[in-house]
Amino acid sequence: MTFKELGLNEGLQEALGYMGFEKATPIQEKAIPVILNKKDLLACAQTGTGKTAAFILPVLQLISESKPKEGSCDCLVLAPTRELALQIEQQIQAFSYFVDLTSKAVYGGGDGQEFEEQKRALTKGANIIVATPGKLISHLNMGYVNFSEIGHFILDEADRMLDMGFIEDIEKIASFLPKKRQTLLFSATFPPNIKKLAKSLLQDQEEISIAISKPAKGVLQVAYCVFDTQKDELIQRLIADKPNYKSIIIFSSTKKKVAQIVRSLRKVNGGIQAVSSDLDQSERELALRKFRSKETRIIVATDVLSRGIDVKDINLVINYDVPSDAEDYVHRIGRTARADTTGVAITLINEDDMYKFHKIERLIEMEIIKAPVFTDMGSTPAWNTKPKKRSGFQKKGGKGKRSKGNRNRR
Ligand code: AMP
């Protein structure tokens, strides 16, 4: 469906055209009409589905149609981390290029000047404020924030905000907002605490859900909990253990790590090639051709390869680190066991990635086997599904207070 068919105005369509968004994604098709209809919304959707545009586009349209008062804040978006808040605010700036609305990201870690700019936006008005809960509370506590005109309240990645201990902050923030407003809650999962929060914040809401793709049945998924220093040795030995595996892909999140893995594996394996954005298109195609024809046994790649490229008969996919979201995990391991063949997918999880991996397990509704490493490799970190706390953080006492140590971490 096009954005025109969804009822978005010309200014927004023009901005979308410049950004190269031609067709709406499924979450956008479902959410945009509900939001334009001024209903509350409870949406189940993960990062990567286009959920940010799904809530931003219709809200920008509603605000511009309502002819907002000079100097008012009209929409508040809450997001768990400063990175996500910044990302959302950047999308707002791009979308609102032709509709003349303003926005400001409010998050911690900036200098005094940044704080003053945030204060100015919260007092003199920016149409859309995108904030992390903790920082917004600091401003609210100073007494100058004017939220009397907020007509739209959006919670993005609500489950993550609750996991990070933000429930009391969210409730407090909501108490500063007008009762008559539109509330939109986006979450990847729906544990009981999210349902409770939704009940307290939303009214007569519509509910939509975008199902995540599931890994193919033929993939044997295994994970190893390891320290970063053990990863190179482990993959060397795992690969050495499987001489009959003719095609192996190793994924890593950064180009730097890709180069490091290639260096380490080259010591023990021939036939290995890096594929990252450092290669131009023709070099990448050549590398893939050699891989397809089994001339190259192992390729080490960043996510440029995880989506869409159809290489047949890959026996083993190794995730050197845990991908940022579940869709990427499913795409990465989907390179093996294509068209009903079988394959193995191995993920290496360090202490920092355990919580992220646990969230992927929840999303794909599957607990993945945690295998022990080779006995002579020494001790490994214990599997732990709790979010990691920031070191040096002093936990506050008090009944029912949860740690907020993981704030603003990604
Ligand atoms: P999100 O789920 O909001 O994090 O979006 C994931 C990515 O998809 C972002 O890089 C968006 O810019 C992009 N995106 C969102 N909607 C569309 C669309 N309709 N067409 C093309 N790309 C999109």
PDB file of all heavy atoms in Angstrom, residues 87-118:
ATOM      1  N   GLN A  87      17.770   8.468  17.472  1.00  0.00           N
ATOM      2  CA  GLN A  87      17.370   7.875  16.197  1.00  0.00           C
ATOM      3  C   GLN A  87      15.943   8.304  15.838  1.00  0.00           C
ATOM      4  O   GLN A  87      15.663   8.656  14.695  1.00  0.00           O
ATOM      5  CB  GLN A  87      17.376   6.361  16.383  1.00  0.00           C
ATOM      6  CG  GLN A  87      18.066   5.574  15.308  1.00  0.00           C
ATOM      7  CD  GLN A  87      18.181   4.137  15.793  1.00  0.00           C
ATOM      8  OE1 GLN A  87      18.999   3.829  16.653  1.00  0.00           O
ATOM      9  NE2 GLN A  87      17.345   3.264  15.299  1.00  0.00           N
ATOM     10  N   ILE A  88      15.064   8.280  16.825  1.00  0.00           N
ATOM     11  CA  ILE A  88      13.667   8.665  16.571  1.00  0.00           C
ATOM     12  C   ILE A  88      13.619  10.144  16.185  1.00  0.00           C
ATOM     13  O   ILE A  88      12.943  10.538  15.227  1.00  0.00           O
ATOM     14  CB  ILE A  88      12.787   8.410  17.822  1.00  0.00           C
ATOM     15  CG1 ILE A  88      12.724   6.911  18.127  1.00  0.00           C
ATOM     16  CG2 ILE A  88      11.386   8.978  17.634  1.00  0.00           C
ATOM     17  CD1 ILE A  88      12.072   6.576  19.462  1.00  0.00           C
ATOM     18  N   GLU A  89      14.374  10.956  16.919  1.00  0.00           N
ATOM     19  CA  GLU A  89      14.331  12.398  16.646  1.00  0.00           C
ATOM     20  C   GLU A  89      14.876  12.707  15.252  1.00  0.00           C
ATOM     21  O   GLU A  89      14.360  13.583  14.552  1.00  0.00           O
ATOM     22  CB  GLU A  89      15.127  13.132  17.727  1.00  0.00           C
ATOM     23  CG  GLU A  89      14.625  14.538  17.978  1.00  0.00           C
ATOM     24  CD  GLU A  89      15.491  15.573  17.282  1.00  0.00           C
ATOM     25  OE1 GLU A  89      16.675  15.290  17.022  1.00  0.00           O
ATOM     26  OE2 GLU A  89      14.971  16.662  16.987  1.00  0.00           O
ATOM     27  N   GLN A  90      15.891  11.950  14.836  1.00  0.00           N
ATOM     28  CA  GLN A  90      16.429  12.159  13.481  1.00  0.00           C
ATOM     29  C   GLN A  90      15.382  11.813  12.420  1.00  0.00           C
ATOM     30  O   GLN A  90      15.239  12.510  11.424  1.00  0.00           O
ATOM     31  CB  GLN A  90      17.678  11.306  13.264  1.00  0.00           C
ATOM     32  CG  GLN A  90      18.912  11.976  13.848  1.00  0.00           C
ATOM     33  CD  GLN A  90      20.040  10.997  14.114  1.00  0.00           C
ATOM     34  OE1 GLN A  90      19.956   9.816  13.789  1.00  0.00           O
ATOM     35  NE2 GLN A  90      21.110  11.483  14.737  1.00  0.00           N
ATOM     36  N   GLN A  91      14.632  10.746  12.671  1.00  0.00           N
ATOM     37  CA  GLN A  91      13.569  10.393  11.708  1.00  0.00           C
ATOM     38  C   GLN A  91      12.498  11.477  11.681  1.00  0.00           C
ATOM     39  O   GLN A  91      11.992  11.835  10.624  1.00  0.00           O
ATOM     40  CB  GLN A  91      12.936   9.037  12.052  1.00  0.00           C
ATOM     41  CG  GLN A  91      13.854   7.876  11.738  1.00  0.00           C
ATOM     42  CD  GLN A  91      13.056   6.595  11.396  1.00  0.00           C
ATOM     43  OE1 GLN A  91      12.034   6.616  10.755  1.00  0.00           O
ATOM     44  NE2 GLN A  91      13.577   5.474  11.863  1.00  0.00           N
ATOM     45  N   ILE A  92      12.175  12.020  12.853  1.00  0.00           N
ATOM     46  CA  ILE A  92      11.160  13.088  12.894  1.00  0.00           C
ATOM     47  C   ILE A  92      11.636  14.266  12.059  1.00  0.00           C
ATOM     48  O   ILE A  92      10.878  14.845  11.275  1.00  0.00           O
ATOM     49  CB  ILE A  92      10.891  13.539  14.353  1.00  0.00           C
ATOM     50  CG1 ILE A  92      10.269  12.398  15.147  1.00  0.00           C
ATOM     51  CG2 ILE A  92       9.997  14.786  14.383  1.00  0.00           C
ATOM     52  CD1 ILE A  92      10.131  12.672  16.623  1.00  0.00           C
ATOM     53  N   GLN A  93      12.907  14.628  12.227  1.00  0.00           N
ATOM     54  CA  GLN A  93      13.430  15.777  11.463  1.00  0.00           C
ATOM     55  C   GLN A  93      13.324  15.531   9.959  1.00  0.00           C
ATOM     56  O   GLN A  93      12.964  16.427   9.210  1.00  0.00           O
ATOM     57  CB  GLN A  93      14.879  16.019  11.841  1.00  0.00           C
ATOM     58  CG  GLN A  93      14.978  16.558  13.248  1.00  0.00           C
ATOM     59  CD  GLN A  93      16.270  17.310  13.478  1.00  0.00           C
ATOM     60  OE1 GLN A  93      17.082  17.453  12.577  1.00  0.00           O
ATOM     61  NE2 GLN A  93      16.458  17.792  14.684  1.00  0.00           N
ATOM     62  N   ALA A  94      13.626  14.314   9.547  1.00  0.00           N
ATOM     63  CA  ALA A  94      13.547  14.005   8.112  1.00  0.00           C
ATOM     64  C   ALA A  94      12.103  14.051   7.633  1.00  0.00           C
ATOM     65  O   ALA A  94      11.793  14.672   6.611  1.00  0.00           O
ATOM     66  CB  ALA A  94      14.161  12.629   7.851  1.00  0.00           C
ATOM     67  N   PHE A  95      11.192  13.441   8.378  1.00  0.00           N
ATOM     68  CA  PHE A  95       9.791  13.397   7.938  1.00  0.00           C
ATOM     69  C   PHE A  95       9.140  14.771   7.962  1.00  0.00           C
ATOM     70  O   PHE A  95       8.226  15.050   7.196  1.00  0.00           O
ATOM     71  CB  PHE A  95       8.951  12.472   8.836  1.00  0.00           C
ATOM     72  CG  PHE A  95       9.335  11.024   8.773  1.00  0.00           C
ATOM     73  CD1 PHE A  95       9.319  10.233   9.914  1.00  0.00           C
ATOM     74  CD2 PHE A  95       9.689  10.435   7.572  1.00  0.00           C
ATOM     75  CE1 PHE A  95       9.661   8.897   9.862  1.00  0.00           C
ATOM     76  CE2 PHE A  95      10.042   9.092   7.510  1.00  0.00           C
ATOM     77  CZ  PHE A  95      10.031   8.333   8.667  1.00  0.00           C
ATOM     78  N   SER A  96       9.564  15.613   8.917  1.00  0.00           N
ATOM     79  CA  SER A  96       8.829  16.875   9.096  1.00  0.00           C
ATOM     80  C   SER A  96       9.417  18.012   8.256  1.00  0.00           C
ATOM     81  O   SER A  96       9.062  19.166   8.424  1.00  0.00           O
ATOM     82  CB  SER A  96       8.785  17.270  10.581  1.00  0.00           C
ATOM     83  OG  SER A  96      10.095  17.399  11.067  1.00  0.00           O
ATOM     84  N   TYR A  97      10.297  17.667   7.331  1.00  0.00           N
ATOM     85  CA  TYR A  97      10.980  18.688   6.532  1.00  0.00           C
ATOM     86  C   TYR A  97       9.995  19.599   5.817  1.00  0.00           C
ATOM     87  O   TYR A  97      10.202  20.794   5.701  1.00  0.00           O
ATOM     88  CB  TYR A  97      11.891  17.977   5.514  1.00  0.00           C
ATOM     89  CG  TYR A  97      12.923  18.880   4.913  1.00  0.00           C
ATOM     90  CD1 TYR A  97      14.022  19.279   5.673  1.00  0.00           C
ATOM     91  CD2 TYR A  97      12.801  19.348   3.616  1.00  0.00           C
ATOM     92  CE1 TYR A  97      14.974  20.112   5.136  1.00  0.00           C
ATOM     93  CE2 TYR A  97      13.751  20.189   3.072  1.00  0.00           C
ATOM     94  CZ  TYR A  97      14.837  20.579   3.833  1.00  0.00           C
ATOM     95  OH  TYR A  97      15.776  21.406   3.302  1.00  0.00           O
ATOM     96  N   PHE A  98       8.887  19.020   5.339  1.00  0.00           N
ATOM     97  CA  PHE A  98       7.933  19.824   4.566  1.00  0.00           C
ATOM     98  C   PHE A  98       6.674  20.172   5.365  1.00  0.00           C
ATOM     99  O   PHE A  98       5.714  20.680   4.817  1.00  0.00           O
ATOM    100  CB  PHE A  98       7.527  19.091   3.283  1.00  0.00           C
ATOM    101  CG  PHE A  98       8.687  18.855   2.359  1.00  0.00           C
ATOM    102  CD1 PHE A  98       9.324  17.632   2.316  1.00  0.00           C
ATOM    103  CD2 PHE A  98       9.157  19.877   1.530  1.00  0.00           C
ATOM    104  CE1 PHE A  98      10.410  17.421   1.472  1.00  0.00           C
ATOM    105  CE2 PHE A  98      10.235  19.676   0.689  1.00  0.00           C
ATOM    106  CZ  PHE A  98      10.866  18.446   0.661  1.00  0.00           C
ATOM    107  N   VAL A  99       6.623  19.829   6.641  1.00  0.00           N
ATOM    108  CA  VAL A  99       5.409  20.149   7.404  1.00  0.00           C
ATOM    109  C   VAL A  99       5.660  21.172   8.520  1.00  0.00           C
ATOM    110  O   VAL A  99       4.753  21.523   9.263  1.00  0.00           O
ATOM    111  CB  VAL A  99       4.718  18.888   7.992  1.00  0.00           C
ATOM    112  CG1 VAL A  99       4.064  18.059   6.916  1.00  0.00           C
ATOM    113  CG2 VAL A  99       5.678  18.056   8.811  1.00  0.00           C
ATOM    114  N   ASP A 100       6.909  21.648   8.623  1.00  0.00           N
ATOM    115  CA  ASP A 100       7.215  22.762   9.503  1.00  0.00           C
ATOM    116  C   ASP A 100       6.854  22.524  10.970  1.00  0.00           C
ATOM    117  O   ASP A 100       6.116  23.302  11.576  1.00  0.00           O
ATOM    118  CB  ASP A 100       6.492  24.026   8.967  1.00  0.00           C
ATOM    119  CG  ASP A 100       7.080  25.274   9.600  1.00  0.00           C
ATOM    120  OD1 ASP A 100       8.258  25.225  10.016  1.00  0.00           O
ATOM    121  OD2 ASP A 100       6.366  26.292   9.693  1.00  0.00           O
ATOM    122  N   LEU A 101       7.329  21.424  11.527  1.00  0.00           N
ATOM    123  CA  LEU A 101       7.158  21.178  12.961  1.00  0.00           C
ATOM    124  C   LEU A 101       8.549  21.011  13.584  1.00  0.00           C
ATOM    125  O   LEU A 101       9.500  20.679  12.884  1.00  0.00           O
ATOM    126  CB  LEU A 101       6.334  19.914  13.197  1.00  0.00           C
ATOM    127  CG  LEU A 101       4.879  19.958  12.730  1.00  0.00           C
ATOM    128  CD1 LEU A 101       4.222  18.592  12.884  1.00  0.00           C
ATOM    129  CD2 LEU A 101       4.080  21.017  13.478  1.00  0.00           C
ATOM    130  N   THR A 102       8.630  21.245  14.888  1.00  0.00           N
ATOM    131  CA  THR A 102       9.944  21.156  15.531  1.00  0.00           C
ATOM    132  C   THR A 102       9.991  19.970  16.502  1.00  0.00           C
ATOM    133  O   THR A 102       8.955  19.519  16.988  1.00  0.00           O
ATOM    134  CB  THR A 102      10.249  22.438  16.330  1.00  0.00           C
ATOM    135  OG1 THR A 102       9.158  22.646  17.232  1.00  0.00           O
ATOM    136  CG2 THR A 102      10.406  23.637  15.418  1.00  0.00           C
ATOM    137  N   SER A 103      11.211  19.525  16.778  1.00  0.00           N
ATOM    138  CA  SER A 103      11.358  18.403  17.716  1.00  0.00           C
ATOM    139  C   SER A 103      12.648  18.571  18.502  1.00  0.00           C
ATOM    140  O   SER A 103      13.559  19.296  18.088  1.00  0.00           O
ATOM    141  CB  SER A 103      11.372  17.078  16.952  1.00  0.00           C
ATOM    142  OG  SER A 103      12.417  17.085  16.004  1.00  0.00           O
ATOM    143  N   LYS A 104      12.712  17.892  19.644  1.00  0.00           N
ATOM    144  CA  LYS A 104      13.931  17.945  20.460  1.00  0.00           C
ATOM    145  C   LYS A 104      14.100  16.625  21.213  1.00  0.00           C
ATOM    146  O   LYS A 104      13.138  16.107  21.773  1.00  0.00           O
ATOM    147  CB  LYS A 104      13.816  19.106  21.463  1.00  0.00           C
ATOM    148  CG  LYS A 104      14.998  19.247  22.388  1.00  0.00           C
ATOM    149  CD  LYS A 104      16.201  19.845  21.694  1.00  0.00           C
ATOM    150  CE  LYS A 104      17.448  19.746  22.559  1.00  0.00           C
ATOM    151  NZ  LYS A 104      18.684  19.779  21.788  1.00  0.00           N
ATOM    152  N   ALA A 105      15.312  16.099  21.190  1.00  0.00           N
ATOM    153  CA  ALA A 105      15.600  14.890  21.979  1.00  0.00           C
ATOM    154  C   ALA A 105      16.096  15.311  23.358  1.00  0.00           C
ATOM    155  O   ALA A 105      16.945  16.191  23.478  1.00  0.00           O
ATOM    156  CB  ALA A 105      16.649  14.039  21.274  1.00  0.00           C
ATOM    157  N   VAL A 106      15.559  14.687  24.392  1.00  0.00           N
ATOM    158  CA  VAL A 106      15.912  15.014  25.776  1.00  0.00           C
ATOM    159  C   VAL A 106      16.482  13.744  26.418  1.00  0.00           C
ATOM    160  O   VAL A 106      15.755  12.775  26.636  1.00  0.00           O
ATOM    161  CB  VAL A 106      14.652  15.503  26.537  1.00  0.00           C
ATOM    162  CG1 VAL A 106      14.931  15.599  28.032  1.00  0.00           C
ATOM    163  CG2 VAL A 106      14.183  16.833  25.974  1.00  0.00           C
ATOM    164  N   TYR A 107      17.790  13.768  26.651  1.00  0.00           N
ATOM    165  CA  TYR A 107      18.451  12.571  27.197  1.00  0.00           C
ATOM    166  C   TYR A 107      19.651  13.001  28.016  1.00  0.00           C
ATOM    167  O   TYR A 107      20.086  14.160  27.945  1.00  0.00           O
ATOM    168  CB  TYR A 107      18.895  11.640  26.054  1.00  0.00           C
ATOM    169  CG  TYR A 107      19.756  12.339  25.038  1.00  0.00           C
ATOM    170  CD1 TYR A 107      21.128  12.446  25.212  1.00  0.00           C
ATOM    171  CD2 TYR A 107      19.182  12.949  23.918  1.00  0.00           C
ATOM    172  CE1 TYR A 107      21.916  13.124  24.310  1.00  0.00           C
ATOM    173  CE2 TYR A 107      19.963  13.629  23.005  1.00  0.00           C
ATOM    174  CZ  TYR A 107      21.322  13.706  23.206  1.00  0.00           C
ATOM    175  OH  TYR A 107      22.099  14.394  22.314  1.00  0.00           O
ATOM    176  N   GLY A 108      20.188  12.070  28.795  1.00  0.00           N
ATOM    177  CA  GLY A 108      21.294  12.416  29.691  1.00  0.00           C
ATOM    178  C   GLY A 108      22.645  12.370  29.008  1.00  0.00           C
ATOM    179  O   GLY A 108      22.752  11.978  27.850  1.00  0.00           O
ATOM    180  N   GLY A 109      23.651  12.795  29.740  1.00  0.00           N
ATOM    181  CA  GLY A 109      25.015  12.650  29.248  1.00  0.00           C
ATOM    182  C   GLY A 109      25.548  13.840  28.476  1.00  0.00           C
ATOM    183  O   GLY A 109      26.714  13.864  28.112  1.00  0.00           O
ATOM    184  N   GLY A 110      24.696  14.851  28.233  1.00  0.00           N
ATOM    185  CA  GLY A 110      25.168  16.016  27.481  1.00  0.00           C
ATOM    186  C   GLY A 110      25.824  17.045  28.401  1.00  0.00           C
ATOM    187  O   GLY A 110      25.889  16.869  29.614  1.00  0.00           O
ATOM    188  N   ASP A 111      26.301  18.138  27.829  1.00  0.00           N
ATOM    189  CA  ASP A 111      26.943  19.178  28.642  1.00  0.00           C
ATOM    190  C   ASP A 111      25.894  20.223  29.090  1.00  0.00           C
ATOM    191  O   ASP A 111      24.701  20.089  28.819  1.00  0.00           O
ATOM    192  CB  ASP A 111      28.074  19.842  27.853  1.00  0.00           C
ATOM    193  CG  ASP A 111      27.583  20.382  26.513  1.00  0.00           C
ATOM    194  OD1 ASP A 111      26.354  20.516  26.338  1.00  0.00           O
ATOM    195  OD2 ASP A 111      28.429  20.662  25.648  1.00  0.00           O
ATOM    196  N   GLY A 112      26.376  21.272  29.759  1.00  0.00           N
ATOM    197  CA  GLY A 112      25.487  22.306  30.278  1.00  0.00           C
ATOM    198  C   GLY A 112      24.695  22.996  29.186  1.00  0.00           C
ATOM    199  O   GLY A 112      23.516  23.309  29.359  1.00  0.00           O
ATOM    200  N   GLN A 113      25.342  23.213  28.055  1.00  0.00           N
ATOM    201  CA  GLN A 113      24.647  23.896  26.956  1.00  0.00           C
ATOM    202  C   GLN A 113      23.495  23.033  26.428  1.00  0.00           C
ATOM    203  O   GLN A 113      22.401  23.505  26.163  1.00  0.00           O
ATOM    204  CB  GLN A 113      25.633  24.186  25.830  1.00  0.00           C
ATOM    205  CG  GLN A 113      25.043  25.106  24.787  1.00  0.00           C
ATOM    206  CD  GLN A 113      25.905  25.152  23.535  1.00  0.00           C
ATOM    207  OE1 GLN A 113      27.091  24.860  23.564  1.00  0.00           O
ATOM    208  NE2 GLN A 113      25.290  25.515  22.426  1.00  0.00           N
ATOM    209  N   GLU A 114      23.764  21.725  26.331  1.00  0.00           N
ATOM    210  CA  GLU A 114      22.725  20.795  25.860  1.00  0.00           C
ATOM    211  C   GLU A 114      21.545  20.812  26.840  1.00  0.00           C
ATOM    212  O   GLU A 114      20.390  20.832  26.434  1.00  0.00           O
ATOM    213  CB  GLU A 114      23.331  19.389  25.727  1.00  0.00           C
ATOM    214  CG  GLU A 114      22.361  18.271  25.384  1.00  0.00           C
ATOM    215  CD  GLU A 114      21.550  18.487  24.115  1.00  0.00           C
ATOM    216  OE1 GLU A 114      22.083  19.090  23.167  1.00  0.00           O
ATOM    217  OE2 GLU A 114      20.365  18.069  24.085  1.00  0.00           O
ATOM    218  N   PHE A 115      21.869  20.833  28.136  1.00  0.00           N
ATOM    219  CA  PHE A 115      20.816  20.861  29.151  1.00  0.00           C
ATOM    220  C   PHE A 115      19.951  22.110  28.974  1.00  0.00           C
ATOM    221  O   PHE A 115      18.726  22.057  29.027  1.00  0.00           O
ATOM    222  CB  PHE A 115      21.432  20.828  30.548  1.00  0.00           C
ATOM    223  CG  PHE A 115      20.414  20.638  31.632  1.00  0.00           C
ATOM    224  CD1 PHE A 115      20.022  19.362  32.020  1.00  0.00           C
ATOM    225  CD2 PHE A 115      19.814  21.736  32.255  1.00  0.00           C
ATOM    226  CE1 PHE A 115      19.059  19.186  33.005  1.00  0.00           C
ATOM    227  CE2 PHE A 115      18.859  21.558  33.240  1.00  0.00           C
ATOM    228  CZ  PHE A 115      18.485  20.285  33.629  1.00  0.00           C
ATOM    229  N   GLU A 116      20.600  23.255  28.729  1.00  0.00           N
ATOM    230  CA  GLU A 116      19.856  24.514  28.541  1.00  0.00           C
ATOM    231  C   GLU A 116      18.960  24.432  27.310  1.00  0.00           C
ATOM    232  O   GLU A 116      17.833  24.929  27.303  1.00  0.00           O
ATOM    233  CB  GLU A 116      20.843  25.692  28.388  1.00  0.00           C
ATOM    234  CG  GLU A 116      21.438  26.165  29.704  1.00  0.00           C
ATOM    235  CD  GLU A 116      20.382  26.491  30.766  1.00  0.00           C
ATOM    236  OE1 GLU A 116      19.408  27.195  30.454  1.00  0.00           O
ATOM    237  OE2 GLU A 116      20.540  26.003  31.909  1.00  0.00           O
ATOM    238  N   GLU A 117      19.482  23.803  26.248  1.00  0.00           N
ATOM    239  CA  GLU A 117      18.662  23.661  25.028  1.00  0.00           C
ATOM    240  C   GLU A 117      17.447  22.779  25.289  1.00  0.00           C
ATOM    241  O   GLU A 117      16.349  23.056  24.809  1.00  0.00           O
ATOM    242  CB  GLU A 117      19.497  23.063  23.883  1.00  0.00           C
ATOM    243  CG  GLU A 117      20.412  24.093  23.256  1.00  0.00           C
ATOM    244  CD  GLU A 117      21.351  23.474  22.223  1.00  0.00           C
ATOM    245  OE1 GLU A 117      21.042  22.385  21.698  1.00  0.00           O
ATOM    246  OE2 GLU A 117      22.398  24.092  21.969  1.00  0.00           O
ATOM    247  N   GLN A 118      17.657  21.719  26.076  1.00  0.00           N
ATOM    248  CA  GLN A 118      16.525  20.846  26.419  1.00  0.00           C
ATOM    249  C   GLN A 118      15.504  21.627  27.246  1.00  0.00           C
ATOM    250  O   GLN A 118      14.297  21.555  27.003  1.00  0.00           O
ATOM    251  CB  GLN A 118      17.015  19.641  27.214  1.00  0.00           C
ATOM    252  CG  GLN A 118      17.907  18.700  26.408  1.00  0.00           C
ATOM    253  CD  GLN A 118      18.433  17.531  27.223  1.00  0.00           C
ATOM    254  OE1 GLN A 118      18.056  17.326  28.383  1.00  0.00           O
ATOM    255  NE2 GLN A 118      19.320  16.751  26.632  1.00  0.00           N
TER     256      GLN A 118
END
